[in-house]
Amino acid sequence: MTIADQNLVKKMNRRRLLQEVIHHSPISRASLSKTTGLNKSTVSAQIQGLVDEKFIFEIGQGQSSGGRRPVMLMFNKQAGYAIGVDIGVDDLTVLLTDLDGSIVSEHYFELEQSSVNETMALLLKTIEQVIRTMPGSPYGLIGIGICVPGLVNRSEQIVLTPNTHWNGVDVKKQVEEAFNVPVTIENEANAGAYGEHIYGAAKAFDDFMYVSISTGIGVGLVLNNELYRGVHGFSGEMGHMTIDFNGPKCNCGNRGCWELYASEKAFRQSLPADWDEKELNKRFQQNDVVLFRSLENFGHHLGIGLVNIANTFDPEAIILRNPLIESNPFVLNAVKNTLSSRMNVRFETECAFLPSTLGKNAPALGACSMMIESFIKGITA
Ligand SMILES: [Zn+2]
């Protein structure tokens, strides 16, 4: 074996061991040797390196069948921190997490009619404040992941945000220059899918769709355990699939797009104009017939598009991200009624339709997990 080969093997062993400790700590050196098949001296040497670099620490004593009890190894999830940002159409979320994705601090803002410049200033100020109050750690801030509701190309440039005006704004460069850490820009539905996959409702699935329903509808596709971005990074624009070819014009250029019927915006437009949030809540409590008919219609329209998605991908699950669906089973039941009346019966048992478990934090948590993953890759590169 050449020296280059030996180095490569060392790096691979190191990555393997760190992943084992991350996913199975507390774990002993002996168990690591057993689960990885690496000999004890390799395990000891590599682990010592990771302990010296503060990625792993040792704790007390584990259980042993006899003799000296082994020291257990833990992943030091506080070795560094990640920031996840979700720039929504009318709100902004900034989360600080440790390397395990646990939220350390969370910041939410309503954007109302804020301009892009105002939102950018608020974002930079918030990140600065988060960094200032971040707990001390060996590696500090390891990266900032930012997601936007629009098209992000493979060079992480925002090329189209139909409901806001971020297209052409170089968010990546501005944030990188301000904080001098790695920055990733991602589409909101892709980040949400990633978040649910790592920490939420889709942990157990390798093939699933994440459907984010708000002003528009965005879909994140995880196929074969990987985010599917498409050639240019523009996959998942299923909010713009036609469900009525004679339907109204959409601002994407198409007609009768799914999101014109099944977005939360469309649902709200179906309600009487004078119903504000308070009125909506009151009628919700009262099981108001007009409201519940509208909710049923919302679920029905969602179901129509979901049938197309399920027929196309044959996924294990479809995760639905919307507060109305997460807070009340009624809409999801309406969705399921539409599905069962329009799909082959086997789908009812073979594809799970589930509400998001991370809720509004899903995209920002996904953005954090992307930064954490690339940091961990970097440790063992
Ligand atoms: Zn459209």
Side-chain angles (χ1 to χ4, degrees), residues 234-283:
F234 305 156
S235 69
E237 288 300 304
M238 286 166 195
H240 299 286
M241 66 182 162
T242 299
I243 60 167
D244 178 359
F245 63 80
N246 282 324
K249 262 202 141 166
C250 177
N251 58 15
C252 73
N254 199 352
R255 274 186 180 278
C257 295
W258 185 31
E259 69 176 39
L260 298 178
Y261 303 86
S263 62
E264 190 173 329
K265 186 177 165 190
F267 162 70
R268 290 189 182 255
Q269 282 168 347
S270 76
L271 301 172
D274 58 338
W275 287 16
D276 55 10
E277 207 61 26
K278 205 174 141 203
E279 180 71 18
L280 202 67
N281 284 331
K282 194 181 95 192
R283 288 181 186 261

mmCIF file of all heavy atoms in Angstrom, residues 234-283:
data_model
loop_
_atom_site.group_PDB
_atom_site.id
_atom_site.type_symbol
_atom_site.label_atom_id
_atom_site.label_comp_id
_atom_site.label_asym_id
_atom_site.label_seq_id
_atom_site.Cartn_x
_atom_site.Cartn_y
_atom_site.Cartn_z
ATOM 1 N N PHE A 234 -33.681 22.902 -9.412
ATOM 2 C CA PHE A 234 -35.042 23.440 -9.403
ATOM 3 C C PHE A 234 -36.139 22.380 -9.248
ATOM 4 O O PHE A 234 -37.293 22.626 -9.602
ATOM 5 C CB PHE A 234 -35.311 24.225 -10.694
ATOM 6 C CG PHE A 234 -34.326 25.323 -10.972
ATOM 7 C CD1 PHE A 234 -34.127 25.784 -12.270
ATOM 8 C CD2 PHE A 234 -33.597 25.916 -9.946
ATOM 9 C CE1 PHE A 234 -33.221 26.803 -12.540
ATOM 10 C CE2 PHE A 234 -32.691 26.931 -10.207
ATOM 11 C CZ PHE A 234 -32.496 27.378 -11.506
ATOM 12 N N SER A 235 -35.803 21.200 -8.751
ATOM 13 C CA SER A 235 -36.828 20.154 -8.631
ATOM 14 C C SER A 235 -37.887 20.547 -7.599
ATOM 15 O O SER A 235 -37.687 21.467 -6.818
ATOM 16 C CB SER A 235 -36.169 18.854 -8.174
ATOM 17 O OG SER A 235 -35.739 19.014 -6.846
ATOM 18 N N GLY A 236 -38.985 19.841 -7.608
ATOM 19 C CA GLY A 236 -39.987 19.990 -6.542
ATOM 20 C C GLY A 236 -40.953 21.154 -6.694
ATOM 21 O O GLY A 236 -41.664 21.485 -5.764
ATOM 22 N N GLU A 237 -40.982 21.774 -7.886
ATOM 23 C CA GLU A 237 -41.921 22.897 -8.078
ATOM 24 C C GLU A 237 -43.318 22.372 -8.421
ATOM 25 O O GLU A 237 -43.931 22.769 -9.415
ATOM 26 C CB GLU A 237 -41.386 23.832 -9.173
ATOM 27 C CG GLU A 237 -40.186 24.652 -8.729
ATOM 28 C CD GLU A 237 -40.505 25.537 -7.528
ATOM 29 O OE1 GLU A 237 -41.456 26.335 -7.613
ATOM 30 O OE2 GLU A 237 -39.819 25.419 -6.500
ATOM 31 N N MET A 238 -43.790 21.462 -7.585
ATOM 32 C CA MET A 238 -45.057 20.802 -7.903
ATOM 33 C C MET A 238 -46.278 21.663 -7.602
ATOM 34 O O MET A 238 -47.378 21.333 -8.011
ATOM 35 C CB MET A 238 -45.157 19.492 -7.151
ATOM 36 C CG MET A 238 -44.251 18.480 -7.779
ATOM 37 S SD MET A 238 -44.077 17.123 -6.673
ATOM 38 C CE MET A 238 -42.700 16.340 -7.395
ATOM 39 N N GLY A 239 -46.062 22.761 -6.886
ATOM 40 C CA GLY A 239 -47.148 23.706 -6.702
ATOM 41 C C GLY A 239 -47.646 24.210 -8.050
ATOM 42 O O GLY A 239 -48.783 24.668 -8.176
ATOM 43 N N HIS A 240 -46.791 24.087 -9.073
ATOM 44 C CA HIS A 240 -47.154 24.584 -10.402
ATOM 45 C C HIS A 240 -47.505 23.478 -11.380
ATOM 46 O O HIS A 240 -47.398 23.654 -12.592
ATOM 47 C CB HIS A 240 -46.047 25.501 -10.948
ATOM 48 C CG HIS A 240 -45.852 26.692 -10.066
ATOM 49 N ND1 HIS A 240 -46.745 27.741 -10.033
ATOM 50 C CD2 HIS A 240 -44.920 26.955 -9.121
ATOM 51 C CE1 HIS A 240 -46.347 28.615 -9.126
ATOM 52 N NE2 HIS A 240 -45.247 28.160 -8.548
ATOM 53 N N MET A 241 -47.885 22.302 -10.849
ATOM 54 C CA MET A 241 -48.427 21.319 -11.801
ATOM 55 C C MET A 241 -49.898 21.669 -12.029
ATOM 56 O O MET A 241 -50.610 22.101 -11.124
ATOM 57 C CB MET A 241 -48.254 19.884 -11.288
ATOM 58 C CG MET A 241 -49.040 19.531 -10.066
ATOM 59 S SD MET A 241 -48.645 17.828 -9.624
ATOM 60 C CE MET A 241 -49.219 17.798 -7.944
ATOM 61 N N THR A 242 -50.314 21.494 -13.262
ATOM 62 C CA THR A 242 -51.674 21.861 -13.649
ATOM 63 C C THR A 242 -52.672 20.839 -13.119
ATOM 64 O O THR A 242 -52.492 19.640 -13.328
ATOM 65 C CB THR A 242 -51.773 21.916 -15.188
ATOM 66 O OG1 THR A 242 -50.858 22.910 -15.643
ATOM 67 C CG2 THR A 242 -53.176 22.257 -15.650
ATOM 68 N N ILE A 243 -53.676 21.311 -12.400
ATOM 69 C CA ILE A 243 -54.744 20.381 -12.053
ATOM 70 C C ILE A 243 -56.045 20.777 -12.759
ATOM 71 O O ILE A 243 -57.035 20.073 -12.692
ATOM 72 C CB ILE A 243 -54.948 20.225 -10.523
ATOM 73 C CG1 ILE A 243 -55.300 21.538 -9.859
ATOM 74 C CG2 ILE A 243 -53.736 19.602 -9.861
ATOM 75 C CD1 ILE A 243 -55.797 21.326 -8.433
ATOM 76 N N ASP A 244 -56.042 21.933 -13.449
ATOM 77 C CA ASP A 244 -57.190 22.320 -14.279
ATOM 78 C C ASP A 244 -56.649 23.080 -15.478
ATOM 79 O O ASP A 244 -56.229 24.232 -15.352
ATOM 80 C CB ASP A 244 -58.151 23.200 -13.464
ATOM 81 C CG ASP A 244 -59.338 23.661 -14.303
ATOM 82 O OD1 ASP A 244 -59.387 23.312 -15.501
ATOM 83 O OD2 ASP A 244 -60.199 24.364 -13.760
ATOM 84 N N PHE A 245 -56.657 22.422 -16.650
ATOM 85 C CA PHE A 245 -55.993 23.075 -17.780
ATOM 86 C C PHE A 245 -56.725 24.296 -18.296
ATOM 87 O O PHE A 245 -56.184 25.068 -19.072
ATOM 88 C CB PHE A 245 -55.639 22.073 -18.897
ATOM 89 C CG PHE A 245 -56.815 21.403 -19.550
ATOM 90 C CD1 PHE A 245 -57.552 22.048 -20.532
ATOM 91 C CD2 PHE A 245 -57.155 20.099 -19.203
ATOM 92 C CE1 PHE A 245 -58.623 21.416 -21.138
ATOM 93 C CE2 PHE A 245 -58.226 19.464 -19.812
ATOM 94 C CZ PHE A 245 -58.977 20.112 -20.776
ATOM 95 N N ASN A 246 -57.967 24.488 -17.889
ATOM 96 C CA ASN A 246 -58.671 25.721 -18.248
ATOM 97 C C ASN A 246 -58.692 26.715 -17.084
ATOM 98 O O ASN A 246 -59.376 27.725 -17.135
ATOM 99 C CB ASN A 246 -60.121 25.411 -18.647
ATOM 100 C CG ASN A 246 -60.202 24.849 -20.041
ATOM 101 O OD1 ASN A 246 -59.443 25.262 -20.925
ATOM 102 N ND2 ASN A 246 -61.096 23.894 -20.259
ATOM 103 N N GLY A 247 -57.939 26.384 -16.050
ATOM 104 C CA GLY A 247 -58.001 27.169 -14.815
ATOM 105 C C GLY A 247 -57.425 28.566 -14.956
ATOM 106 O O GLY A 247 -56.935 28.947 -16.022
ATOM 107 N N PRO A 248 -57.475 29.340 -13.873
ATOM 108 C CA PRO A 248 -56.965 30.715 -13.906
ATOM 109 C C PRO A 248 -55.461 30.769 -14.162
ATOM 110 O O PRO A 248 -54.758 29.790 -13.920
ATOM 111 C CB PRO A 248 -57.296 31.242 -12.510
ATOM 112 C CG PRO A 248 -57.508 30.043 -11.664
ATOM 113 C CD PRO A 248 -57.991 28.957 -12.558
ATOM 114 N N LYS A 249 -54.989 31.913 -14.660
ATOM 115 C CA LYS A 249 -53.560 32.091 -14.932
ATOM 116 C C LYS A 249 -52.797 32.219 -13.626
ATOM 117 O O LYS A 249 -53.264 32.850 -12.676
ATOM 118 C CB LYS A 249 -53.348 33.352 -15.772
ATOM 119 C CG LYS A 249 -53.193 33.036 -17.242
ATOM 120 C CD LYS A 249 -52.471 34.139 -17.972
ATOM 121 C CE LYS A 249 -51.540 33.517 -18.995
ATOM 122 N NZ LYS A 249 -51.051 34.470 -19.962
ATOM 123 N N CYS A 250 -51.617 31.617 -13.596
ATOM 124 C CA CYS A 250 -50.752 31.691 -12.425
ATOM 125 C C CYS A 250 -49.581 32.608 -12.772
ATOM 126 O O CYS A 250 -49.224 32.727 -13.944
ATOM 127 C CB CYS A 250 -50.269 30.288 -12.093
ATOM 128 S SG CYS A 250 -49.109 30.215 -10.721
ATOM 129 N N ASN A 251 -48.946 33.213 -11.763
ATOM 130 C CA ASN A 251 -47.831 34.118 -12.101
ATOM 131 C C ASN A 251 -46.566 33.379 -12.555
ATOM 132 O O ASN A 251 -45.572 33.992 -12.908
ATOM 133 C CB ASN A 251 -47.536 35.130 -10.986
ATOM 134 C CG ASN A 251 -47.208 34.453 -9.667
ATOM 135 O OD1 ASN A 251 -46.928 33.248 -9.635
ATOM 136 N ND2 ASN A 251 -47.253 35.207 -8.577
ATOM 137 N N CYS A 252 -46.625 32.022 -12.604
ATOM 138 C CA CYS A 252 -45.496 31.268 -13.158
ATOM 139 C C CYS A 252 -45.607 31.173 -14.673
ATOM 140 O O CYS A 252 -44.686 30.715 -15.345
ATOM 141 C CB CYS A 252 -45.439 29.864 -12.555
ATOM 142 S SG CYS A 252 -46.728 28.754 -13.173
ATOM 143 N N GLY A 253 -46.751 31.579 -15.240
ATOM 144 C CA GLY A 253 -46.939 31.496 -16.681
ATOM 145 C C GLY A 253 -47.878 30.367 -17.080
ATOM 146 O O GLY A 253 -48.399 30.341 -18.191
ATOM 147 N N ASN A 254 -48.097 29.432 -16.158
ATOM 148 C CA ASN A 254 -48.963 28.285 -16.430
ATOM 149 C C ASN A 254 -50.417 28.636 -16.053
ATOM 150 O O ASN A 254 -50.706 29.731 -15.566
ATOM 151 C CB ASN A 254 -48.440 27.102 -15.605
ATOM 152 C CG ASN A 254 -48.931 25.768 -16.115
ATOM 153 O OD1 ASN A 254 -49.780 25.681 -17.001
ATOM 154 N ND2 ASN A 254 -48.392 24.701 -15.540
ATOM 155 N N ARG A 255 -51.303 27.675 -16.246
ATOM 156 C CA ARG A 255 -52.714 27.854 -15.873
ATOM 157 C C ARG A 255 -53.163 26.752 -14.920
ATOM 158 O O ARG A 255 -52.709 25.616 -15.033
ATOM 159 C CB ARG A 255 -53.589 27.733 -17.129
ATOM 160 C CG ARG A 255 -53.742 29.003 -17.897
ATOM 161 C CD ARG A 255 -54.740 28.837 -19.035
ATOM 162 N NE ARG A 255 -54.875 30.090 -19.757
ATOM 163 C CZ ARG A 255 -55.661 31.085 -19.348
ATOM 164 N NH1 ARG A 255 -56.415 30.952 -18.274
ATOM 165 N NH2 ARG A 255 -55.706 32.212 -20.039
ATOM 166 N N GLY A 256 -54.074 27.098 -14.037
ATOM 167 C CA GLY A 256 -54.714 26.085 -13.183
ATOM 168 C C GLY A 256 -53.744 25.331 -12.295
ATOM 169 O O GLY A 256 -53.921 24.140 -12.033
ATOM 170 N N CYS A 257 -52.695 26.032 -11.810
ATOM 171 C CA CYS A 257 -51.676 25.375 -10.967
ATOM 172 C C CYS A 257 -52.276 24.916 -9.637
ATOM 173 O O CYS A 257 -53.156 25.571 -9.075
ATOM 174 C CB CYS A 257 -50.529 26.332 -10.682
ATOM 175 S SG CYS A 257 -49.614 26.781 -12.161
ATOM 176 N N TRP A 258 -51.722 23.800 -9.129
ATOM 177 C CA TRP A 258 -52.204 23.199 -7.870
ATOM 178 C C TRP A 258 -52.272 24.218 -6.741
ATOM 179 O O TRP A 258 -53.241 24.271 -5.987
ATOM 180 C CB TRP A 258 -51.262 22.036 -7.522
ATOM 181 C CG TRP A 258 -51.642 21.221 -6.327
ATOM 182 C CD1 TRP A 258 -52.896 20.966 -5.871
ATOM 183 C CD2 TRP A 258 -50.737 20.533 -5.453
ATOM 184 N NE1 TRP A 258 -52.838 20.141 -4.773
ATOM 185 C CE2 TRP A 258 -51.523 19.864 -4.500
ATOM 186 C CE3 TRP A 258 -49.346 20.399 -5.402
ATOM 187 C CZ2 TRP A 258 -50.963 19.089 -3.478
ATOM 188 C CZ3 TRP A 258 -48.792 19.625 -4.397
ATOM 189 C CH2 TRP A 258 -49.593 18.977 -3.446
ATOM 190 N N GLU A 259 -51.219 25.065 -6.623
ATOM 191 C CA GLU A 259 -51.190 25.982 -5.476
ATOM 192 C C GLU A 259 -52.245 27.081 -5.550
ATOM 193 O O GLU A 259 -52.545 27.711 -4.545
ATOM 194 C CB GLU A 259 -49.784 26.573 -5.258
ATOM 195 C CG GLU A 259 -49.299 27.535 -6.296
ATOM 196 C CD GLU A 259 -47.940 28.135 -5.917
ATOM 197 O OE1 GLU A 259 -47.085 27.415 -5.383
ATOM 198 O OE2 GLU A 259 -47.749 29.336 -6.156
ATOM 199 N N LEU A 260 -52.850 27.293 -6.737
ATOM 200 C CA LEU A 260 -53.941 28.266 -6.812
ATOM 201 C C LEU A 260 -55.173 27.746 -6.089
ATOM 202 O O LEU A 260 -56.075 28.505 -5.740
ATOM 203 C CB LEU A 260 -54.287 28.569 -8.271
ATOM 204 C CG LEU A 260 -53.184 29.208 -9.120
ATOM 205 C CD1 LEU A 260 -53.669 29.408 -10.544
ATOM 206 C CD2 LEU A 260 -52.750 30.548 -8.510
ATOM 207 N N TYR A 261 -55.229 26.434 -5.864
ATOM 208 C CA TYR A 261 -56.388 25.806 -5.207
ATOM 209 C C TYR A 261 -56.079 25.310 -3.797
ATOM 210 O O TYR A 261 -56.947 25.269 -2.945
ATOM 211 C CB TYR A 261 -56.872 24.601 -6.042
ATOM 212 C CG TYR A 261 -57.227 24.968 -7.459
ATOM 213 C CD1 TYR A 261 -56.256 24.997 -8.442
ATOM 214 C CD2 TYR A 261 -58.536 25.329 -7.778
ATOM 215 C CE1 TYR A 261 -56.580 25.363 -9.746
ATOM 216 C CE2 TYR A 261 -58.871 25.691 -9.070
ATOM 217 C CZ TYR A 261 -57.879 25.709 -10.053
ATOM 218 O OH TYR A 261 -58.199 26.073 -11.325
ATOM 219 N N ALA A 262 -54.822 24.875 -3.589
ATOM 220 C CA ALA A 262 -54.550 24.104 -2.370
ATOM 221 C C ALA A 262 -53.515 24.738 -1.442
ATOM 222 O O ALA A 262 -53.127 24.129 -0.447
ATOM 223 C CB ALA A 262 -54.109 22.694 -2.750
ATOM 224 N N SER A 263 -53.055 25.953 -1.750
ATOM 225 C CA SER A 263 -52.134 26.612 -0.813
ATOM 226 C C SER A 263 -52.930 27.162 0.364
ATOM 227 O O SER A 263 -54.165 27.261 0.305
ATOM 228 C CB SER A 263 -51.399 27.754 -1.514
ATOM 229 O OG SER A 263 -52.342 28.725 -1.930
ATOM 230 N N GLU A 264 -52.224 27.536 1.422
ATOM 231 C CA GLU A 264 -52.936 28.144 2.551
ATOM 232 C C GLU A 264 -53.521 29.490 2.134
ATOM 233 O O GLU A 264 -54.587 29.888 2.582
ATOM 234 C CB GLU A 264 -51.987 28.312 3.750
ATOM 235 C CG GLU A 264 -52.761 28.713 4.982
ATOM 236 C CD GLU A 264 -51.932 28.744 6.250
ATOM 237 O OE1 GLU A 264 -50.972 27.966 6.365
ATOM 238 O OE2 GLU A 264 -52.265 29.563 7.123
ATOM 239 N N LYS A 265 -52.824 30.165 1.223
ATOM 240 C CA LYS A 265 -53.329 31.447 0.705
ATOM 241 C C LYS A 265 -54.688 31.235 0.021
ATOM 242 O O LYS A 265 -55.636 31.987 0.257
ATOM 243 C CB LYS A 265 -52.309 32.007 -0.287
ATOM 244 C CG LYS A 265 -52.615 33.394 -0.808
ATOM 245 C CD LYS A 265 -51.485 33.856 -1.712
ATOM 246 C CE LYS A 265 -51.877 35.057 -2.534
ATOM 247 N NZ LYS A 265 -50.859 35.343 -3.559
ATOM 248 N N ALA A 266 -54.769 30.158 -0.789
ATOM 249 C CA ALA A 266 -56.029 29.863 -1.481
ATOM 250 C C ALA A 266 -57.132 29.541 -0.471
ATOM 251 O O ALA A 266 -58.271 29.988 -0.612
ATOM 252 C CB ALA A 266 -55.836 28.696 -2.443
ATOM 253 N N PHE A 267 -56.763 28.772 0.581
ATOM 254 C CA PHE A 267 -57.751 28.449 1.617
ATOM 255 C C PHE A 267 -58.269 29.733 2.268
ATOM 256 O O PHE A 267 -59.472 29.922 2.433
ATOM 257 C CB PHE A 267 -57.119 27.527 2.670
ATOM 258 C CG PHE A 267 -57.877 27.488 3.962
ATOM 259 C CD1 PHE A 267 -59.129 26.879 4.035
ATOM 260 C CD2 PHE A 267 -57.351 28.082 5.107
ATOM 261 C CE1 PHE A 267 -59.839 26.858 5.226
ATOM 262 C CE2 PHE A 267 -58.065 28.065 6.305
ATOM 263 C CZ PHE A 267 -59.309 27.456 6.362
ATOM 264 N N ARG A 268 -57.345 30.648 2.592
ATOM 265 C CA ARG A 268 -57.766 31.895 3.268
ATOM 266 C C ARG A 268 -58.619 32.760 2.349
ATOM 267 O O ARG A 268 -59.543 33.432 2.802
ATOM 268 C CB ARG A 268 -56.550 32.651 3.795
ATOM 269 C CG ARG A 268 -55.966 31.869 4.966
ATOM 270 C CD ARG A 268 -54.899 32.571 5.727
ATOM 271 N NE ARG A 268 -54.418 31.668 6.761
ATOM 272 C CZ ARG A 268 -54.719 31.773 8.061
ATOM 273 N NH1 ARG A 268 -55.489 32.748 8.488
ATOM 274 N NH2 ARG A 268 -54.241 30.902 8.925
ATOM 275 N N GLN A 269 -58.307 32.716 1.058
ATOM 276 C CA GLN A 269 -59.110 33.485 0.113
ATOM 277 C C GLN A 269 -60.516 32.906 -0.040
ATOM 278 O O GLN A 269 -61.433 33.598 -0.475
ATOM 279 C CB GLN A 269 -58.404 33.544 -1.249
ATOM 280 C CG GLN A 269 -57.270 34.568 -1.257
ATOM 281 C CD GLN A 269 -56.369 34.454 -2.481
ATOM 282 O OE1 GLN A 269 -56.438 33.468 -3.216
ATOM 283 N NE2 GLN A 269 -55.538 35.462 -2.686
ATOM 284 N N SER A 270 -60.678 31.627 0.333
ATOM 285 C CA SER A 270 -62.002 31.010 0.217
ATOM 286 C C SER A 270 -62.915 31.395 1.389
ATOM 287 O O SER A 270 -64.112 31.118 1.376
ATOM 288 C CB SER A 270 -61.857 29.481 0.155
ATOM 289 O OG SER A 270 -61.563 28.958 1.450
ATOM 290 N N LEU A 271 -62.316 32.034 2.419
ATOM 291 C CA LEU A 271 -63.110 32.431 3.592
ATOM 292 C C LEU A 271 -63.671 33.840 3.389
ATOM 293 O O LEU A 271 -63.120 34.618 2.613
ATOM 294 C CB LEU A 271 -62.220 32.432 4.845
ATOM 295 C CG LEU A 271 -61.548 31.105 5.202
ATOM 296 C CD1 LEU A 271 -60.557 31.318 6.354
ATOM 297 C CD2 LEU A 271 -62.587 30.054 5.589
ATOM 298 N N PRO A 272 -64.754 34.172 4.104
ATOM 299 C CA PRO A 272 -65.266 35.549 4.014
ATOM 300 C C PRO A 272 -64.166 36.564 4.334
ATOM 301 O O PRO A 272 -63.355 36.328 5.245
ATOM 302 C CB PRO A 272 -66.363 35.580 5.093
ATOM 303 C CG PRO A 272 -66.794 34.153 5.228
ATOM 304 C CD PRO A 272 -65.572 33.336 4.970
ATOM 305 N N ALA A 273 -64.125 37.656 3.576
ATOM 306 C CA ALA A 273 -63.021 38.622 3.651
ATOM 307 C C ALA A 273 -62.857 39.238 5.043
ATOM 308 O O ALA A 273 -61.759 39.638 5.425
ATOM 309 C CB ALA A 273 -63.225 39.701 2.603
ATOM 310 N N ASP A 274 -63.960 39.326 5.815
ATOM 311 C CA ASP A 274 -63.852 40.023 7.108
ATOM 312 C C ASP A 274 -63.425 39.094 8.261
ATOM 313 O O ASP A 274 -63.416 39.508 9.412
ATOM 314 C CB ASP A 274 -65.184 40.738 7.436
ATOM 315 C CG ASP A 274 -66.352 39.764 7.470
ATOM 316 O OD1 ASP A 274 -66.237 38.672 6.854
ATOM 317 O OD2 ASP A 274 -67.373 40.081 8.103
ATOM 318 N N TRP A 275 -63.065 37.852 7.969
ATOM 319 C CA TRP A 275 -62.596 36.961 9.040
ATOM 320 C C TRP A 275 -61.110 37.196 9.289
ATOM 321 O O TRP A 275 -60.280 36.893 8.443
ATOM 322 C CB TRP A 275 -62.787 35.499 8.655
ATOM 323 C CG TRP A 275 -64.203 35.018 8.679
ATOM 324 C CD1 TRP A 275 -65.334 35.789 8.711
ATOM 325 C CD2 TRP A 275 -64.637 33.664 8.642
ATOM 326 N NE1 TRP A 275 -66.436 35.007 8.704
ATOM 327 C CE2 TRP A 275 -66.046 33.691 8.663
ATOM 328 C CE3 TRP A 275 -63.991 32.439 8.602
ATOM 329 C CZ2 TRP A 275 -66.820 32.537 8.636
ATOM 330 C CZ3 TRP A 275 -64.743 31.284 8.571
ATOM 331 C CH2 TRP A 275 -66.150 31.329 8.592
ATOM 332 N N ASP A 276 -60.791 37.702 10.476
ATOM 333 C CA ASP A 276 -59.371 37.830 10.816
ATOM 334 C C ASP A 276 -58.954 36.576 11.605
ATOM 335 O O ASP A 276 -59.741 35.643 11.789
ATOM 336 C CB ASP A 276 -59.099 39.118 11.603
ATOM 337 C CG ASP A 276 -59.959 39.227 12.857
ATOM 338 O OD1 ASP A 276 -60.627 38.220 13.221
ATOM 339 O OD2 ASP A 276 -59.966 40.291 13.484
ATOM 340 N N GLU A 277 -57.703 36.584 12.096
ATOM 341 C CA GLU A 277 -57.159 35.418 12.804
ATOM 342 C C GLU A 277 -58.002 35.075 14.035
ATOM 343 O O GLU A 277 -58.241 33.908 14.342
ATOM 344 C CB GLU A 277 -55.711 35.730 13.205
ATOM 345 C CG GLU A 277 -54.817 34.529 13.353
ATOM 346 C CD GLU A 277 -54.658 33.713 12.064
ATOM 347 O OE1 GLU A 277 -54.802 34.270 10.953
ATOM 348 O OE2 GLU A 277 -54.416 32.509 12.192
ATOM 349 N N LYS A 278 -58.469 36.126 14.733
ATOM 350 C CA LYS A 278 -59.250 35.937 15.963
ATOM 351 C C LYS A 278 -60.600 35.276 15.652
ATOM 352 O O LYS A 278 -61.016 34.331 16.322
ATOM 353 C CB LYS A 278 -59.472 37.322 16.609
ATOM 354 C CG LYS A 278 -59.714 37.271 18.097
ATOM 355 C CD LYS A 278 -59.768 38.668 18.693
ATOM 356 C CE LYS A 278 -60.844 38.715 19.763
ATOM 357 N NZ LYS A 278 -61.334 40.074 20.006
ATOM 358 N N GLU A 279 -61.224 35.775 14.600
ATOM 359 C CA GLU A 279 -62.516 35.228 14.164
ATOM 360 C C GLU A 279 -62.357 33.754 13.752
ATOM 361 O O GLU A 279 -63.184 32.905 14.079
ATOM 362 C CB GLU A 279 -63.036 36.068 12.980
ATOM 363 C CG GLU A 279 -64.376 35.627 12.420
ATOM 364 C CD GLU A 279 -65.553 35.916 13.346
ATOM 365 O OE1 GLU A 279 -65.393 36.759 14.258
ATOM 366 O OE2 GLU A 279 -66.619 35.272 13.175
ATOM 367 N N LEU A 280 -61.256 33.507 13.058
ATOM 368 C CA LEU A 280 -60.968 32.147 12.589
ATOM 369 C C LEU A 280 -60.843 31.194 13.784
ATOM 370 O O LEU A 280 -61.436 30.109 13.807
ATOM 371 C CB LEU A 280 -59.661 32.180 11.786
ATOM 372 C CG LEU A 280 -59.432 31.056 10.802
ATOM 373 C CD1 LEU A 280 -60.442 31.135 9.667
ATOM 374 C CD2 LEU A 280 -58.025 31.151 10.226
ATOM 375 N N ASN A 281 -60.083 31.615 14.804
ATOM 376 C CA ASN A 281 -59.902 30.790 15.997
ATOM 377 C C ASN A 281 -61.217 30.545 16.716
ATOM 378 O O ASN A 281 -61.493 29.439 17.181
ATOM 379 C CB ASN A 281 -58.902 31.442 16.959
ATOM 380 C CG ASN A 281 -57.482 31.273 16.461
ATOM 381 O OD1 ASN A 281 -57.173 30.297 15.769
ATOM 382 N ND2 ASN A 281 -56.625 32.220 16.785
ATOM 383 N N LYS A 282 -62.026 31.593 16.805
ATOM 384 C CA LYS A 282 -63.314 31.482 17.487
ATOM 385 C C LYS A 282 -64.194 30.450 16.780
ATOM 386 O O LYS A 282 -64.747 29.547 17.394
ATOM 387 C CB LYS A 282 -64.009 32.858 17.501
ATOM 388 C CG LYS A 282 -65.185 32.950 18.468
ATOM 389 C CD LYS A 282 -65.844 34.319 18.431
ATOM 390 C CE LYS A 282 -67.027 34.289 17.478
ATOM 391 N NZ LYS A 282 -67.558 35.623 17.170
ATOM 392 N N ARG A 283 -64.264 30.562 15.461
ATOM 393 C CA ARG A 283 -65.096 29.637 14.685
ATOM 394 C C ARG A 283 -64.538 28.214 14.714
ATOM 395 O O ARG A 283 -65.286 27.250 14.603
ATOM 396 C CB ARG A 283 -65.233 30.141 13.242
ATOM 397 C CG ARG A 283 -66.123 31.363 13.178
ATOM 398 C CD ARG A 283 -66.289 31.871 11.771
ATOM 399 N NE ARG A 283 -67.023 33.115 11.775
ATOM 400 C CZ ARG A 283 -68.343 33.202 11.508
ATOM 401 N NH1 ARG A 283 -69.031 32.125 11.203
ATOM 402 N NH2 ARG A 283 -68.941 34.366 11.546
#
